[in-house]
Amino acid sequence: MMKKEKSESLEQVREQIDQLDQQLIDLIATRQFYVDQAVRFKRTTEDAQSPERVQQVIDKVRQKAFEVGTDPDLVETIYRAMIQHFIQRELKEIRP
C-alpha cells in the first residue's frame, strides 16, 4: 500500500492527486498491454467475454477494496467499465 501523507494546502493535495492520476493511467496502460497479449490465446468471442472470469475479477477487487477501506461498489463500477472496454478491444481482434 502506498504511503499517505497529510497535505498542508489545497495545492499540495492537488499535486498528490495529479501524481496518483499519472500512476493510475500508467497502471491501466500496463493492464491493457497484458490484456492485448491474452487475446493471442483466445479463439472465440466466448473466450473474450468469459463471464466466469469477469466475475472472478470483480469478486477479487471488491474484496481488496473492502480490505483497504474503500468503497467496493465504486471499485466494481470502475472495473466493470474497464473490463467491458478491454473485451471490446479483444472482440475486434478475434472477429475479422
Side-chain angles (χ1 to χ4, degrees):
M1 180 179 279
M2 295 181 56
K3 183 179 176 189
K4 300 173 199 161
E5 299 176 4
K6 187 167 178 126
S7 299
E8 302 300 325
S9 68
L10 180 57
E11 291 76 20
Q12 199 174 37
V13 169
R14 288 178 175 164
E15 184 178 305
Q16 290 295 330
I17 289 171
D18 288 346
Q19 289 177 15
L20 287 169
D21 286 344
Q22 183 60 57
Q23 292 172 17
L24 286 167
I25 291 166
D26 290 344
L27 289 170
I28 291 168
T30 301
R31 194 178 198 285
Q32 179 177 298
F33 172 80
Y34 286 107
V35 169
D36 288 349
Q37 287 190 45
V39 77
R40 294 181 302 145
F41 305 103
K42 298 178 181 182
R43 301 289 178 246
T44 66
T45 58
E46 291 77 21
D47 290 341
Q49 292 169 323
S50 184
E52 303 83 16
R53 173 63 180 151
V54 171
Q55 194 57 52
Q56 286 175 349
V57 171
I58 295 301
D59 292 345
K60 180 178 62 176
V61 298
R62 284 188 64 87
Q63 181 60 38
K64 290 185 180 297
F66 176 78
E67 289 169 6
V68 300
T70 197
D71 184 349
D73 292 338
L74 171 62
V75 171
E76 179 175 346
T77 298
I78 292 167
Y79 265 80
R80 285 198 183 276
M82 184 170 52
I83 289 168
Q84 189 56 41
H85 174 81
F86 290 149
I87 288 171
Q88 293 308 311
R89 280 178 66 91
E90 289 182 331
L91 290 175
K92 287 178 187 172
E93 291 293 319
I94 291 171
R95 294 179 183 151

